Each structure stands twice: as structure tokens, then as C-alpha cells.
């Protein structure tokens, strides 16, 4: 199949397929004299596996390392991916059940315990950990994980508490005293897990807006929260200098 046909079949853009070729992740089986990339059924199977890995949050660099490993076994990888997807489905089902109960509680039809409010949330596996390792190195991420491990489930509850609190005041000027007090709590919590300078704190806020994954997850607590936090974190860093 030509690259355009693969694109139409899979929904992956031609540009993305070219990128996969450029980085050596998915090389076409043949390049015609006219410059057309030709993909075989075996290449399509590899592409399918790549897309499963991407869906599970693996970086392209990590996927390439796995595929290039002499110990890589395609069938074993599919079985592993299936187990991970089943676990992901279970977590999503649990979160859906939690939000259904939360909706009923909002209607006054039931009362939830604090534990029930956070059932389904799982902070034990960070989907961005591999990317963080690539950006900042193993040492920094391992140190952060060790600190986070000391807090256990309480860490996730505290993160959610602050997110909800900030969402409630996101209509305020990010430079207001109340906004700065709230974002200050976020700064303190992050430094319990890692080591954030004021500059790094402001940079993280910018990532909340620049990276759609962060924006999407943060805005679940309130539309526009990610952008508001970015502004508030920038002000906090400036005032702390």
C-alpha cells in the first residue's frame, strides 16, 4: 500500500507517517523510483502495535526502543497491551460510577463519603513519567516519585482538593490576594513531591496551556482553569523574586 492509502485506512495523517519514517519508527518496505513509500501487511501490523502503545501513553522514543529490542516479541506485546487496556477500562468504569454517584448527590438523591468521591482516581502510575524522564532525567523523576510515595492516596485527594478550590475562584483576577493564596498552596504541594524553583513553577504553568493533555485534564475541574492557573502561577513567580 502507498502512504496515502495507509493514511486513508488508518486515519493517521501522511505527515505523521513521514515522521515515523524519518525517526526510524516505521520504515516502509520499499521506496519506488518515483519516491512512493510502499507498506506491506507486516508494516501495518507494526503500525497497529505503535498506535496501541500511543493510546497507552508511551512516547515515540520508548516505543522505538521496545520495537528495536532483540527481545521484543510482537505477540507478547499485544497480550501485554490488552491487559493494560483492560486495566484502563476498569479504571474508567470506576470513575464513571463515581461521577454518576456525584450527579445523584448533586440532585439530593444520595450522600457520598469522602472516600467514595475519589474512587477510580489512580495516581500510582503517571502517564507522563516517561516523557518527564526524557526531559529531566531519571534522577529528578525518581526523587519526585520517592517523595510522592510517602503520601500515598492522600496525595491524590489533596491535589483534587486544591484543583476544586482553584476552580471555584477562577473568576477572580489571578493577581488577587485570594488567587495568590490558593496558587501558593499548589506551589507548596508540588514542592512536597519535587523541587520546583519559582522559574520552574511558572514554566509548568505555561505547559498547562501549551500541552493540550494538561489543559484537557485540568479543565475537567472547570473550563478555563488551566489558563487561569498559568496566569496565577506566573504572577506568583514574579512576586516571589
Amino acid at each position: 500500500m502507498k502512504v496515502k492509502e495507509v493514511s486513508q485506512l488508518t486515519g493517521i495523517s501522511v505527515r505523521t507517517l513521514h515522521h515515523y519514517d524519518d525517526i526510524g519508527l516505521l520504515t516502509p518496505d520499499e521506496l519506488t523510483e518515483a519516491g512512493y513509500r510502499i507498506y506491506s501487511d507486516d508494516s501495518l501490523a507494526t503500525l497497529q502495535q505503535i498506535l496501541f502503545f500511543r493510546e497507552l501513553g508511551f512516547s515515540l522514543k520508548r516505543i522505538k526502543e521496545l520495537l528495536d529490542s532483540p527481545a521484543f516479541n510482537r505477540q507478547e506485546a499485544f497480550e501485554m497491551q490488552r491487559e493494560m487496556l483492560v486495566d484502563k477500562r476498569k479504571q474508567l468504569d470506576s470513575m464513571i460510577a463515581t461521577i454518576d454517584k456525584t450527579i445523584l448527590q448533586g440532585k439530593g438523591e444520595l450522600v457520598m463519603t469522602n472516600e467514595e468521591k475519589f474512587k477510580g482516581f489512580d495516581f500510582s502510575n503517571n502517564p507522563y513519567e516517561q516523557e518527564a524522564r526524557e526531559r529531566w532525567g531519571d534522577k529528578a523523576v525518581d526523587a519526585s516519585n520517592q517523595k510522592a510515595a510517602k503520601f500515598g492516596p492522600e496525595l491524590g485527594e489533596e491535589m483534587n482538593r486544591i484543583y476544586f478550590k482553584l476552580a471555584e475562584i477562577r473568576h477572580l483576577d489571578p493577581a488577587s490576594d485570594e488567587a495568590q493564596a490558593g496558587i501558593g498552596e499548589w506551589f507548596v504541594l508540588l514542592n512536597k513531591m519535587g523541587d520546583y524553583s519559582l522559574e520552574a513553577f511558572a514554566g509548568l504553568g505555561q505547559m498547562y496551556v501549551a500541552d493540550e493533555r494538561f489543559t484537557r485534564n485540568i479543565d475537567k475541574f472547570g473550563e478555563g482553569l488551566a489558563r487561569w492557573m498559568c496566569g496565577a502561577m506566573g504572577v506568583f513567580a514574579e512576586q516571589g523574586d
Side-chain angles (χ1 to χ4, degrees), residues 45-137:
T46 300
L47 177 58
Q48 183 194 40
Q49 195 138 69
I50 290 171
L51 297 182
F52 277 131
F53 276 128
R54 291 294 286 162
E55 181 65 28
L56 290 164
F58 286 71
S59 69
L60 294 180
K61 180 180 179 181
R62 180 56 177 155
I63 296 172
K64 188 175 186 306
E65 290 174 352
L66 291 170
L67 297 181
D68 289 345
S69 171
F72 180 78
N73 181 289
R74 177 176 291 175
Q75 188 63 26
E76 290 179 356
F78 278 131
E79 292 172 358
M80 177 193 72
Q81 289 168 331
R82 186 184 187 284
E83 290 180 6
M84 295 176 72
L85 287 169
V86 169
D87 288 340
K88 184 177 180 180
R89 181 177 65 186
K90 289 179 180 177
Q91 184 189 357
L92 289 174
D93 286 342
S94 180
M95 293 182 73
I96 291 171
T98 296
I99 201 168
D100 285 342
K101 289 183 179 179
T102 304
I103 292 171
L104 292 175
Q105 178 177 251
K107 295 178 179 179
E109 297 181 17
L110 61 79
V111 176
M112 298 176 70
T113 65
N114 287 331
E115 290 74 15
E116 287 176 322
K117 292 177 183 177
F118 300 101
K119 188 175 182 180
F121 291 97
D122 183 7
F123 295 92
S124 61
N125 294 307
N126 182 356
Y128 307 120
E129 179 171 321
Q130 180 61 32
E131 184 171 338
R133 290 183 184 279
E134 293 167 6
R135 291 190 182 189
W136 299 299

Side-chain angles (χ1 to χ4, degrees), residues 115-238:
E115 290 74 15
E116 287 176 322
K117 292 177 183 177
F118 300 101
K119 188 175 182 180
F121 291 97
D122 183 7
F123 295 92
S124 61
N125 294 307
N126 182 356
Y128 307 120
E129 179 171 321
Q130 180 61 32
E131 184 171 338
R133 290 183 184 279
E134 293 167 6
R135 291 190 182 189
W136 299 299
D138 288 338
K139 185 176 181 181
V141 177
D142 287 339
S144 177
N145 285 345
Q146 288 175 3
K147 288 185 178 181
K150 296 178 182 178
F151 297 91
E154 294 80 10
L155 176 62
E157 294 180 11
E158 181 65 6
M159 290 178 71
N160 280 289
R161 183 191 69 78
I162 295 177
Y163 273 133
F164 280 120
K165 178 179 179 179
L166 294 177
E168 291 176 355
I169 62 173
R170 70 187 187 282
H171 61 284
L172 299 177
D173 184 338
S176 67
D177 291 342
E178 187 175 354
Q180 285 301 295
I183 211 68
E185 290 187 51
W186 187 240
F187 179 73
V188 171
L189 179 62
L190 289 178
N191 274 288
K192 288 181 180 179
M193 297 185 289
D195 185 14
Y196 285 85
S197 65
L198 290 170
E199 182 181 4
F201 187 60
L204 181 63
Q206 293 172 5
M207 188 180 295
Y208 290 169
V209 176
D211 191 320
E212 64 178 12
R213 296 169 300 179
F214 280 101
T215 304
R216 184 169 56 250
N217 286 326
I218 294 173
D219 280 2
K220 290 177 181 177
F221 293 88
E223 186 177 354
L225 178 60
R227 185 168 295 279
W228 184 89
M229 287 183 68
C230 175
M233 292 163 77
V235 171
F236 186 89
E238 290 178 2

